[in-house]
Amino acid sequence: MSVAPSSATDIGTAQLSRTLYLTASPTAGASAPMSRSIYLAAGYYDWSSTLEGRGQTFAGRHIYLAAGWYSWNCAIQSPANGWYRDTCTLDHGGGPAYLVSDQYKLYVSGSYTFVSFLYGPFTA
């Protein structure tokens, strides 16, 4: 994804992921961050986050991004006792774009992989 695509066949996927042991009863204020720098070609992207092992996407959006280097940051957090929320940002230096999930519960403690995906770029 570091080169501008020349055709629709150049669409790719990038991801940011971290495997964690998560408890079914988290304490408010707990947080586990992850980050990377990534160069993106200009275009529209599908951006999502999921907690693998749970089988659903928690947040998603279609977003236009200018070409350049981005700081991609995500965290799984506990905003209140017993609850989780995922927050991701993409920042090109002019203020970040956000991807935030609804709050959710885990009913089984265990190892989960938190993943944020970027798929694209699309030309329209």
Side-chain angles (χ1 to χ4, degrees), residues 2-113:
S2 62
V3 179
S6 59
S7 70
T9 59
D10 290 331
I11 293 171
T13 303
Q15 72 178 31
L16 178 59
S17 66
R18 183 174 179 187
T19 300
L20 304 159
Y21 181 86
L22 299 175
T23 177
S25 54
T27 303
S31 180
M34 57 185 175
S35 64
R36 72 180 275 195
S37 294
I38 187 169
Y39 184 86
L40 299 172
Y44 289 92
Y45 289 82
D46 286 331
W47 185 20
S48 64
S49 69
T50 189
L51 193 63
E52 293 180 348
R54 212 162 159 225
Q56 72 185 80
T57 298
F58 290 121
R61 67 184 287 193
H62 191 68
I63 185 171
Y64 179 83
L65 298 170
W69 283 98
Y70 284 81
S71 176
W72 187 3
N73 300 287
C74 293
I76 187 166
Q77 306 158 330
S78 179
N81 287 340
W83 294 90
Y84 287 101
R85 171 179 283 149
D86 306 332
T87 303
C88 294
T89 61
L90 278 168
D91 193 351
H92 184 50
Y98 289 91
L99 180 67
V100 180
S101 74
D102 291 334
Q103 292 187 93
Y104 57 90
K105 287 185 176 257
L106 293 177
Y107 296 99
V108 177
S109 298
S111 184
Y112 293 87
T113 302

